[in-house]
Amino acid sequence: MKELIINITPLETRIAVVEDERLAELHIERQESRSVVGNIYKGRVDSIVPGIQAAFVDIGFEKNGFLYVSDIAGREGTGDFDFEEGTAKPRGQGRRGRPPSIETLLKKNQNIMVQVAKDTLGTKGVRITNFVTLPGRYLVLMPTVAHIGVSRKIESDKERDRLKKILQSIRTPGVGLIMRTAAEGKSKEDFEADLAYLNKVWARLKARMESMKAPCLLHEDLSPILRIIRDSFTADVNKVTIDDEAEYSRILNFLDTFAPNLKKRVKLYRLRRPIFEKFGIEAEIQKALQRKVFLKSGGHICIDQTEALIAIDVNTGRFTGKKHLEDTVFRTNLDAADEIARQVRLRDLGGIIVIDFIDMQYERNRRELIKRLQDALRYDRAKTTVSEVNELGMIEMTRKRVKHNLTKALSQSCPYCEGSGMVRSVTTVTLDTLRALQNLFCDSKEKRVILQVHPDVARRLRNENKDLLEGITGRFKREIDLESVSDFHIHDIKILSARTRTEIAAESAAPAKS
């Protein structure tokens, strides 16, 4: 059972994909950080960097878009393509050998049509491509490449052959087309209507490209709600529930054109209780932000994100099994594989993912684990690759990323630990405080000072480490008034002059409080 639940507020739009009453995906778009993936711009080449075979293109943003040489259409070596839902990307160097350098393809101040492939991530500008794709309900039009393809999620060989024959018959020479998953079982007439619409969009785009001055927006993709209705609202979705009347009407109007048979599955939510609370989604979102995820068997997985990769560790926890250790480990690993596939989708984790499964003795169990993980990942629309289980029980997988994952979208780095998840211990800060006092007394002639620290540090200095503090005052013949400050961070240390109460020394690993 699959449902789409849509929550709209003035500041954000949230779309939940629920499968068998469990949250499987969450799409969030906020007014302050709207996604521009899929938008098409007329850009101007600002600079070319031969060393990395890339160009920076001004498309009207604060930061220029980043364009690799492999993302420029019309170059040699683009004879082989990977096809995904709504996208086409050249694979390798193609059939004509090594592609030419970027200096021969682009010139500074040249105008070029580009499409955003990835939103801004961290300090980077948007990733752009010259391979323009225009997605419809059943087809994706690729005006810049002459290739056809069928969604990899259509598995029937007979249906794939049928769809390829239809593509050959309806496409214009020199133009590429992809059949989307929603095309399965549809008629040639459906595809011809979809293609006619996409051809009109492309004609408008070319006209704007000729008449408008760079940098400018040529084509804006659909809103997040209509985009997911277009891409994900297929026959396998039982219901769409939305809590905004205006957007409810827009969905119905959209379906009038693209899929009128699905209109009866769209419901308007009118209750006072927030829609995500009603369906239990808020609680699921909170769980998705936690490091530890518990498994049905009693084991758990831990998900840690770093700059370079994502590490997932599998543990048996309180699950001990009923017979042998191998059985316990195997059962835990299978449960973990299902949950990891779900969490990867839900958290929208991307890049390199290393999974440390519990080591298993038998090769047949390792093969079964790989199959279980691959089967669970079939529901993921993002492209994934999975390696074999190595002798340490680890699997390396990759997943395509186009936007910030859930944790980065909903969180920010701690200003104290700077994202490490660790702060200095009370013992460490206590010792730092004693060293700071010694350094001050060596450089200053202040006879009496006020020491301000976090309550836990003050407690240590008044009790367990009182003798250390008294040793410093005796050695330097000074006086110290110890003050506990409740709103101090654990790292904060301030030393004030007792005469003027002005600060004469301070240490803190955290940014100053405003």
Side-chain angles (χ1 to χ4, degrees):
M1 184 175 177
K2 187 174 179 179
E3 294 182 59
L4 300 178
I5 300 171
I6 305 172
N7 169 231
I8 299 175
T9 65
L11 296 180
E12 70 176 358
T13 295
R14 300 187 296 175
I15 305 169
V17 180
V18 178
E19 295 174 356
D20 295 328
E21 298 185 349
R22 296 192 73 193
L23 182 61
E25 294 180 23
L26 182 67
H27 305 270
I28 299 175
E29 179 157 303
R30 290 176 171 168
Q31 289 294 103
E32 62 188 30
S33 56
R34 295 186 63 185
S35 173
V36 292
V37 170
N39 288 359
I40 301 173
Y41 296 84
K42 180 176 183 178
R44 183 180 64 250
V45 178
D46 187 59
S47 62
I48 297 173
V49 187
I52 57 174
Q53 285 296 291
F56 289 94
V57 181
D58 180 9
I59 57 174
F61 292 5
E62 183 179 350
K63 293 183 178 179
N64 289 339
F66 188 74
L67 178 66
Y68 277 116
V69 66
S70 60
D71 289 321
I72 301 175
R75 66 183 178 87
E76 294 181 9
T78 58
D80 203 10
F81 278 76
D82 277 330
F83 295 100
E84 299 173 28
E85 278 292 283
T87 63
K89 182 175 175 56
R91 180 170 58 221
Q93 295 178 350
R95 297 174 182 154
R96 300 186 185 179
R98 187 175 180 179
S101 64
I102 195 166
E103 305 98 297
T104 64
L105 297 173
L106 296 177
K107 303 296 179 186
K108 185 176 171 62
N109 295 322
Q110 176 183 340
N111 291 335
I112 183 173
M113 183 187 294
V114 293
Q115 187 169 30
V116 177
K118 288 184 180 181
D119 280 320
T120 298
L121 294 175
T123 59
K124 300 177 182 178
V126 296
R127 174 79 181 270
I128 55 178
T129 177
N130 183 233
F131 290 101
V132 174
T133 58
L134 296 173
R137 176 67 175 172
Y138 307 117
L139 300 172
V140 177
L141 176 66
M142 303 181 297
T144 56
V145 292
H147 295 268
I148 63 171
V150 176
S151 168
R152 55 194 170 95
K153 298 203 173 173
I154 298 177
E155 297 179 346
S156 167
D157 290 337
K158 183 177 180 181
E159 178 65 4
R160 293 179 69 86
D161 289 341
R162 182 185 79 90
L163 294 175
K164 285 180 181 178
K165 289 178 182 177
I166 294 176
L167 283 177
Q168 293 284 11
S169 67
I170 67 173
R171 78 169 178 134
T172 304
V175 173
L177 289 174
I178 300 175
M179 282 286 189
R180 309 192 69 177
T181 306
E184 189 169 10
K186 300 299 179 181
S187 67
K188 182 178 179 180
E189 290 73 21
D190 292 324
F191 305 139
E192 287 174 335
D194 210 23
L195 182 57
Y197 162 75
L198 294 174
N199 282 332
K200 288 179 182 178
V201 174
W202 176 237
R204 286 198 302 269
L205 258 170
K206 289 192 295 182
R208 290 170 65 85
M209 181 70 184
E210 292 294 327
S211 62
M212 298 183 70
K213 184 178 179 181
C216 66
L217 175 66
L218 299 177
H219 172 76
E220 187 172 12
D221 201 7
L222 296 174
S223 69
I225 295 172
L226 294 185
R227 190 162 59 238
I228 203 161
I229 292 296
R230 178 193 67 195
D231 298 344
S232 301
F233 190 19
T234 51
D236 64 330
V237 176
N238 301 78
K239 186 167 61 172
V240 174
T241 309
I242 184 169
D243 62 359
D244 183 89
E245 193 164 358
E247 288 296 336
Y248 169 74
S249 298
R250 289 191 187 96
I251 291 174
L252 295 183
N253 291 335
F254 182 81
L255 291 174
D256 271 333
T257 303
F258 288 95
N261 59 306
L262 296 177
K263 288 176 63 176
K264 61 181 179 295
R265 302 188 189 184
V266 183
K267 308 296 180 184
L268 178 62
Y269 181 83
R270 299 179 182 273
L271 301 181
R272 283 189 174 185
R273 182 181 295 275
I275 188 170
F276 272 25
E277 288 286 351
K278 173 69 175 177
F279 289 92
I281 295 171
E282 292 291 4
E284 289 289 321
I285 294 173
Q286 294 306 313
K287 289 180 183 177
L289 296 175
Q290 296 174 5
R291 175 177 177 265
K292 183 181 289 188
V293 180
F294 291 95
L295 305 174
K296 293 179 181 178
S297 63
H300 64 268
I301 61 175
C302 294
I303 303 173
D304 293 295
Q305 301 183 44
T306 71
E307 289 294 326
L309 55 82
I310 293 161
I312 303 178
D313 185 43
V314 181
N315 300 279
T316 56
R318 66 176 184 272
F319 179 57
T320 57
K322 296 181 179 179
K323 294 182 180 179
H324 305 293
L325 175 62
E326 180 75 5
D327 295 333
T328 301
V329 169
F330 183 50
R331 170 74 184 280
T332 303
N333 280 341
L334 290 181
D335 282 352
D338 292 337
E339 188 61 35
I340 287 168
R342 174 176 174 260
Q343 291 294 328
V344 162
R345 285 178 65 197
L346 175 55
R347 300 179 187 226
D348 204 10
L349 303 178
I352 299 172
I353 303 171
V354 177
I355 308 170
D356 185 10
F357 284 103
I358 307 168
D359 191 25
M360 294 179 293
Q361 181 179 355
Y362 301 123
E363 180 61 29
R364 66 175 182 272
N365 288 345
R366 295 184 182 183
R367 290 196 300 269
E368 179 64 25
L369 177 61
I370 283 283
K371 184 177 183 301
R372 183 71 162 258
L373 181 60
Q374 290 173 332
D375 288 345
L377 288 169
R378 287 173 57 197
Y379 301 100
D380 193 348
R381 292 192 304 150
K383 183 180 179 182
T384 58
T385 61
V386 180
S387 71
E388 294 294 321
V389 182
N390 64 25
E391 61 276 8
L392 299 177
M394 293 186 181
I395 290 178
E396 182 179 303
M397 62 174 284
T398 62
R399 184 175 185 270
K400 185 177 179 182
R401 177 179 62 184
V402 298
K403 62 181 187 299
H404 286 299
N405 62 50
L406 188 65
T407 300
K408 291 186 177 179
L410 298 181
S411 310
Q412 65 182 28
S413 292
C414 170
Y416 296 107
C417 71
E418 296 181 345
S420 71
M422 305 291 288
V423 295
R424 283 185 284 178
S425 66
V426 173
T427 300
T428 300
V429 178
T430 300
L431 295 173
D432 288 344
T433 303
L434 296 172
R435 282 189 283 268
L437 287 169
Q438 292 182 71
N439 288 333
L440 173 68
F441 292 154
C442 287
D443 298 332
S444 169
K445 294 183 179 180
E446 290 279 346
K447 292 296 183 182
R448 186 178 179 184
V449 298
I450 300 169
L451 175 62
Q452 294 182 336
V453 290
H454 184 273
D456 291 345
V457 179
R459 197 174 300 115
R460 285 287 295 270
L461 291 172
R462 288 192 179 109
N463 297 295
E464 297 100 304
N465 302 127
K466 181 179 179 181
D467 56 334
L468 297 178
L469 188 61
E470 290 176 346
I472 292 176
T473 58
R475 187 162 66 254
F476 287 95
K477 294 183 172 52
R478 309 292 173 94
E479 294 183 27
I480 300 174
D481 296 334
L482 181 59
E483 292 184 359
S484 171
V485 184
S486 60
D487 62 350
F488 263 26
H489 185 265
I490 188 69
H491 291 174
D492 291 342
I493 305 166
K494 283 187 180 180
I495 306 175
L496 311 178
S497 167
R499 294 179 291 105
T500 62
R501 290 195 70 87
T502 57
E503 190 174 312
I504 55 177
E507 289 192 6
S508 176
K513 291 181 173 62
S514 58

